[in-house]
């Protein structure tokens, strides 16, 4: 379903690009074949319509859920960590160790921070040592010298 939404967005972007190119060619032809006064009026009208269309698209984008842009329901996860030692994790995050001297009980090496998953959501940790987690998060060690099992 996310692939269809991406293809739809690309199709819409190409449609807007083609319409813009056609408008530019049309305005140039009007200026060359008619007169500049008429071209000025046509350009003003086209600019007003484009401005209203942009306003409509902006309002639509504002009311979409996270990761919106069509397709309904957010499909993108936003994961942000800001600050020294801040950790933000989203999705299925199991058996990780974050922080100096942290480890999982079974002795697995500490992996890189997780990448965002496909489910919708917003996870944010801000400030020194802040921790935020969302989704299936279990068996993790957060903080200096912490330890946890990764069952």
């Amino acid at each position: 379903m996310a692939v269809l939404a991406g293809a739809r967005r690309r199709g819409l972007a190409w449609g807007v690009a083609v319409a813009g190119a056609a408008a530019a060619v049309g305005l140039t032809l009007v200026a060359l074949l008619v007169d500049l006064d008429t071209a000025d009026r046509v350009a003003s009208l086209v600019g007003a319509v484009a401005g209203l269309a942009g306003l409509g698209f902006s309002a639509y984008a504002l009311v979409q859920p996270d990761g919106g842009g069509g397709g309904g329901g957010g499909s993108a996860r936003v994961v942000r960590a800001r600050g020294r030692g801040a950790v933000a994790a989203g999705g299925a995050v199991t058996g990780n160790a974050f922080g100096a001297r942290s480890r999982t009980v079974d002795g697995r090496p500490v992996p890189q921070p997780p990448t965002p998953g496909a489910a919708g959501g917003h996870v944010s940790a801000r400030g020194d040592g802040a921790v935020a987690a969302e989704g299936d998060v279990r068996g993790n060690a957060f903080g200096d010298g912490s330890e946890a099992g990764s069952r």
Side-chain angles (χ1 to χ4, degrees):
M1 193 139 173
V3 173
L4 290 177
R8 186 193 217 157
R9 260 185 249 132
R10 280 190 298 276
L12 180 63
W14 275 105
V16 169
V18 168
V25 169
L27 288 172
T28 303
L29 288 175
V30 168
L32 293 174
L33 300 176
V34 184
D35 60 26
L36 289 178
D37 189 44
T38 303
D40 180 45
R41 290 181 184 147
V42 170
S44 295
L45 181 63
V46 169
V49 169
L52 288 174
L55 178 64
F57 284 128
S58 296
Y60 176 76
L62 283 174
V63 299
Q64 293 301 302
D66 283 347
S75 62
R77 180 181 308 278
V78 178
V79 179
R80 290 191 179 112
R82 294 183 184 132
R84 181 184 169 117
V87 176
V93 182
T94 305
N96 296 287
F98 300 95
R101 299 172 315 281
S102 295
R103 68 181 187 92
T104 58
V105 173
D106 61 5
R108 294 189 320 177
V110 177
Q112 295 297 316
T115 56
H122 180 85
V123 181
S124 182
R126 178 175 282 177
D128 292 350
V131 176
E134 181 262 340
D136 185 11
V137 182
R138 55 195 149 102
N140 296 288
F142 293 98
D144 293 347
S146 58
E147 187 176 284
S150 61
R151 289 178 260 161

